[in-house]
Amino acid sequence: MTAIPTFTGDANPYGGGDPYADYRTADFPFTQYANLADRNLGAGVIAANDEFFAQRENLLVPERAEFDPEHFGHKGKIMDGWETRRRRGASAGHPWPTAEDHDWALVRLGAPGVIRGIVVDTAHFRGNYPQAVSVEGTSVPGSPSPEELLADDVKWTTLVPRTAVGGHAANGFSIDVEQRFTHLRVNQHPDGGIARLRVYGEVAPDPQWLAVLGTFDVVALENGGQVEDASNLFYSPATNTIQPGRSRKMDDGWETRRRRDQGNDWIRYQLVAQSQIRAIEIDTAYLKGNSAGWASVSVKDGEDGEWTEILPRTRLQPDTNHRFVLDAPAVGTHARVDIFPDGGISRLRLHGSLTEQGVAGLAARHQELGG
């Protein structure tokens, strides 16, 4: 585990104007991965030992934390994050919390996976942030209750050891633990507030579940698909195209800047494993005056395979879900959607099933990760 970079100490008290003007952040090397703690995937903060000032659920709100300097309630200042009360010692002779005192929250990841990086964001917590944080992970099948997760027989692996953090800052940690996790325990020492939690990584699906499904979306994020690269990310991330459900607004898809050349935009994907694709959906929901004009889809088998077009360049309509049935199954491990000339799509669905090679590879990977 490496903190890149390190922020410590208080931020200055809020002095008016833009509250983010003195916010401390950096470009972290892991943010190209999907956020496994995304509510759209099904993530949730299922328990916390204390949330006196601000609710634990705020940790996973997708938007950045907001700050209203005049917003107070019956319990004090209302913060857009998770904030616990101030800890106290056992007696007047020792009024300070002990070194072991801490608050915790249990987070269910939206999809099990390998974690590549964590951001503990203390935005707007300037003098009331935790002195240090630590994060542990575990893998428990099914839908365990908080009581089951806190049982003595559950093994927790340290992902972020107890580390000093800074106020009003994005505190980032690179993770180098090649295991599959389903839940996290976020600890703040001894107390305080955290605005947001982001958990970046790669989805590691359950092969048994996919085998029972048979036919499923082989590029979906929740099933283990991922975006490898894209030509342009000016307005929104390409990962939106493989999120669950239909887009709910324009920025819940992928939109590129306007091109002024003769090129085109594209996204390249890695499928969950080698698959047979039988049907394609390209959705332009909420993209009306800015949807792609045309699109094509290609696949390749293996990193060194040749790209083969399986859907020729086809006219798209704005705000429409387009469905295509292939004449014959297309086998591949990677896919690419090209849009012409620019604009956007909201979702891409590639319906199919794993090949025998894909089943074997996914099972081996699952075992390797301790699944």
Side-chain angles (χ1 to χ4, degrees):
M1 187 284 303
T2 305
I4 312 172
T6 299
F7 300 114
T8 55
D10 293 350
N12 292 325
Y14 175 65
D18 178 7
Y20 273 101
D22 60 341
Y23 176 67
R24 295 177 288 178
T25 187
D27 291 328
F28 300 116
F30 43 74
T31 53
Q32 77 272 21
Y33 295 102
N35 178 20
L36 301 181
D38 191 333
R39 285 286 299 171
N40 287 333
L41 281 176
V45 186
I46 61 175
N49 71 306
D50 184 84
E51 47 185 331
F52 187 86
F53 288 113
Q55 295 86 355
R56 65 183 190 262
E57 288 87 356
N58 289 334
L59 284 173
L60 305 188
V61 171
E63 295 79 19
R64 71 177 188 172
E66 298 298 327
F67 180 72
D68 182 348
E70 298 180 357
H71 196 190
F72 288 83
H74 293 294
K75 293 182 179 180
K77 182 73 185 74
I78 295 176
M79 297 293 290
D80 185 8
W82 168 50
E83 186 181 6
T84 65
R85 71 193 79 196
R86 300 187 189 217
R87 282 184 171 270
R88 297 294 186 243
S91 66
H94 199 285
W96 310 279
T98 69
E100 291 74 31
D101 286 342
H102 67 279
D103 293 318
W104 53 263
L106 293 178
V107 177
R108 178 190 64 242
L109 298 180
V114 182
I115 298 169
R116 302 302 183 192
I118 295 174
V119 174
V120 177
D121 189 347
T122 58
H124 314 304
F125 289 94
R126 295 170 176 269
N128 52 346
Y129 61 94
Q131 182 183 37
V133 299
S134 61
V135 182
E136 303 159 277
T138 190
S139 183
V140 179
S143 304
S145 67
E147 293 75 21
E148 289 170 323
L149 287 170
L150 295 171
D152 292 339
D153 60 345
V154 173
K155 178 186 176 183
W156 291 89
T157 299
T158 298
L159 301 177
V160 179
R162 183 169 175 167
T163 306
V165 294
H168 197 42
N171 300 277
F173 306 90
S174 289
I175 309 300
D176 188 20
V177 180
E178 203 69 14
Q179 290 179 233
R180 178 181 186 268
F181 295 102
T182 61
H183 295 78
L184 299 184
R185 184 162 60 190
V186 180
N187 306 303
Q188 48 178 342
H189 308 267
D191 54 36
I194 299 170
R196 297 289 187 267
L197 176 74
R198 303 291 185 244
V199 183
Y200 297 97
E202 303 169 55
V203 175
D206 181 353
Q208 185 178 10
W209 174 253
L210 296 183
V212 170
L213 292 181
T215 297
F216 57 92
D217 182 359
V218 298
V219 76
L221 181 60
E222 61 188 321
N223 293 332
Q226 57 183 300
V227 169
E228 287 193 328
D229 200 3
S231 60
N232 188 271
L233 304 173
F234 191 86
Y235 287 111
S236 45
T239 303
N240 282 351
T241 61
I242 54 175
Q243 288 277 5
R246 293 199 73 199
S247 176
R248 296 168 295 172
K249 52 182 181 173
M250 192 177 75
D251 66 350
D252 190 18
W254 171 60
E255 183 189 357
T256 71
R257 61 168 296 164
R258 300 185 188 214
R259 276 188 171 267
R260 303 306 188 200
D261 58 20
Q262 299 300 304
N264 74 282
D265 289 314
W266 50 267
I267 307 175
R268 189 173 70 242
Y269 304 88
Q270 181 176 312
L271 309 183
V272 56
Q274 189 189 64
S275 306
Q276 286 187 327
I277 300 167
R278 298 184 180 87
I280 299 170
E281 287 184 77
I282 301 175
D283 195 353
T284 58
Y286 291 96
L287 295 163
K288 298 179 179 180
N290 51 355
S291 66
W294 292 261
S296 65
V297 178
S298 303
V299 299
K300 70 174 182 177
D301 192 22
E303 293 287 351
D304 300 323
E306 296 290 329
W307 288 105
T308 301
E309 190 174 73
I310 61 173
L311 178 70
R313 191 180 304 187
T314 302
R315 188 76 169 93
L316 299 181
Q317 299 300 319
D319 196 27
T320 301
N321 191 27
H322 310 76
R323 292 178 171 175
F324 309 95
V325 176
L326 302 184
D327 293 334
V331 175
T333 57
H334 296 72
R336 172 177 165 137
V337 60
D338 285 84
I339 63 170
F340 303 87
D342 56 24
I345 62 173
S346 61
R347 296 290 188 268
L348 174 71
R349 306 296 187 208
L350 302 178
H351 301 287
S353 57
L354 298 182
T355 64
E356 288 187 8
Q357 179 180 323
V359 169
L362 193 64
R365 176 65 171 158
H366 187 69
Q367 186 174 14
E368 177 185 305
L369 296 174

